[in-house]
Amino acid sequence: MRVIGLIGGLSWESTVIYYQVINRRVRERLGGSHSADSLIWSVDYTTVEELAFAGRWDEVSALLSDAGRKLQDAGAGVLLVCSNTFSKVSDDVARATSVPVLHIADAVADEVRSRGMRKVGLLGTRFTMEERFYRDRLARHGFEVIVPPREQRDLVHDVIFDELVRGVIREPSRDAYTRIIDDLAAAGAEGVILGCTEIELLVSEKDSVVPLLPSARLHAEAAAAFALAG
């Protein structure tokens, strides 16, 4: 089994999902009391958040690439940047290290294609919904990606940074997200990508009229499968 290296703390609330899912998948596959060989480098989220909002992505890249090198030096045989937003620098981490880096968008895209979906909605931070680094990577897999209109994008973004990354779960926010998902479905989305790992803390399948694609869980499951294949 390869050692899984998680670049986490992006935020730690969602890194917990990764740790739980990876270990559950390994136990399901191997049985008994098995768990994954894994390492976590958890960064201070405020640091990377402030850099991102200031547009200082070169410093984000340097910080996460350094985390990747430290995990590799500690024995990791595969790396994950445990975030959709900060997957913007996943390719930089891959160039800075010599072990595979599993991209979160590829894990999500594999699930979309396996379900035969041709058009999906995307929720996430403004970075993820509005910039090209994530949507273009998804589109290369051969399906259409749509996002909510500006006012709804602002609401989704604000709930993530003002509430979810701080562990705050509010029913009005869940209701608002549900309405946005309904609107994406009405616009033809066959499923909706929860393209921020913290969104999985707020909404689930019971809140949606279409299938939800939880990026953190899909990424973690891909990591477990890759590690076990090794």
Side-chain angles (χ1 to χ4, degrees):
M1 185 193 308
R2 290 183 177 93
V3 177
I4 300 171
L6 303 175
I7 302 174
L10 302 165
S11 66
W12 72 261
E13 299 282 349
S14 62
T15 305
V16 171
I17 296 173
Y18 278 84
Y19 190 69
Q20 289 176 331
V21 172
I22 287 169
N23 283 293
R24 285 171 181 162
R25 291 294 176 265
V26 169
R27 185 171 60 192
E28 288 169 6
R29 172 76 177 275
L30 300 181
S33 56
H34 281 285
S35 57
D37 292 327
S38 61
L39 300 164
I40 300 175
W41 189 275
S42 188
V43 302
D44 178 359
Y45 188 69
T46 292
T47 300
V48 290
E49 181 184 56
E50 289 177 350
L51 290 173
F53 274 92
R56 294 157 61 184
W57 284 99
D58 55 339
E59 295 177 59
V60 174
S61 172
L63 192 155
L64 299 189
S65 293
D66 182 61
R69 285 189 293 268
K70 288 173 178 173
L71 288 168
Q72 176 181 284
D73 292 345
V78 59
L79 298 174
L80 287 77
V81 176
C82 300
S83 168
N84 292 277
T85 296
F86 294 101
S87 72
K88 182 170 181 173
V89 302
S90 281
D91 289 343
D92 296 341
V93 175
R95 284 188 287 269
T97 56
S98 58
V99 297
V101 177
L102 302 186
H103 198 291
I104 191 168
D106 294 337
V108 172
D110 287 344
E111 180 69 10
V112 173
R113 288 189 293 108
S114 74
R115 295 187 183 214
M117 295 176 177
R118 301 171 64 88
K119 184 176 183 179
V120 295
L122 171 64
L123 300 180
T125 65
R126 285 195 199 100
F127 304 105
T128 302
M129 292 187 289
E130 297 178 1
E131 296 185 26
R132 304 306 310 181
F133 70 92
Y134 194 87
R135 292 170 62 186
D136 284 354
R137 186 146 189 148
L138 290 173
R140 289 202 294 268
H141 289 267
F143 51 86
E144 183 181 355
V145 180
I146 62 173
V147 297
R150 178 60 183 270
E151 183 177 346
Q152 291 184 338
R153 293 199 304 270
D154 289 347
L155 185 150
V156 170
H157 177 93
D158 290 344
V159 167
I160 291 167
F161 284 107
D162 294 342
E163 299 172 22
L164 300 183
V165 300
R166 301 176 184 183
V168 176
I169 306 298
R170 298 178 63 247
E171 197 63 34
S173 297
R174 179 180 289 112
D175 293 341
Y177 268 54
T178 298
R179 289 193 296 272
I180 293 169
I181 291 168
D182 288 345
D183 289 347
L184 288 169
E190 300 168 80
V192 173
I193 297 168
L194 304 185
C196 174
T197 51
E198 285 82 15
I199 295 177
E200 295 165 52
L201 303 170
L202 182 65
V203 295
S204 62
E205 291 280 358
K206 65 181 176 61
D207 304 304
S208 177
V209 295
V210 293
L212 298 181
L213 302 155
S215 57
R217 294 178 188 277
L218 294 171
H219 201 197
E221 288 170 357
F226 189 89
L228 289 166

